Amino acid sequence: MDLDANLIKEKIEEYRKDKNCAQSTLMGICEVAGLDIEDLPALAAGFGGGIGGTFDEGTCGAVTGAVMALGFLADGKQGPCAKGLFNAFKEEYGSVTCGAITNNGEDKSLCTEVCVFAGQKVAELLKE
């Protein structure tokens, strides 16, 4: 599958204005893929702030949103693609834990960046 990484970036940045990281990442990827996104905000709502706002214990919403998108799009390669995303994200940011990236929710300045990274990594993985 060939998804436009630049369009994913644009859509994620647009959704980050009023959606959490999981919602923005999931919706941005899926919209570019041509999927109906109407119900996706509800699906991803509980994954913001490291799953329910747990921050220091929960996985970054950008990662969970991207893994959910892979569930729709990876066509039998969900596991390997999710592992590739996880490893690339951890290498780039040093952790996949929301609290480590956001200083336990105190500094969300990287949130849009990590969402874009995850979304563009999904596009890359789906090309392979």
Side-chain angles (χ1 to χ4, degrees), residues 99-120:
I101 296 165
T102 66
N103 190 27
N104 204 28
E106 297 296 318
D107 178 9
K108 296 180 183 179
S109 62
L110 285 178
C111 289
T112 299
E113 177 186 321
V114 299
C115 292
V116 168
F117 178 86
Q120 291 182 325

Side-chain angles (χ1 to χ4, degrees), residues 21-100:
C21 291
Q23 292 169 317
S24 302
T25 305
L26 175 62
M27 292 170 67
I29 296 166
C30 290
E31 183 174 349
V32 172
L35 298 180
D36 181 3
I37 63 166
E38 182 180 347
D39 295 324
L40 297 183
L43 174 68
F47 291 92
I51 303 178
T54 58
F55 296 108
D56 64 332
E57 297 176 351
T59 302
C60 173
V63 175
T64 56
V67 170
M68 284 187 271
L70 286 169
F72 288 122
L73 304 171
D75 197 25
K77 302 184 302 181
Q78 288 90 343
C81 285
K83 184 176 182 179
L85 169 68
F86 181 94
N87 290 337
F89 193 95
K90 189 171 183 179
E91 183 176 321
E92 183 72 17
Y93 295 102
S95 179
V96 296
T97 305
C98 179

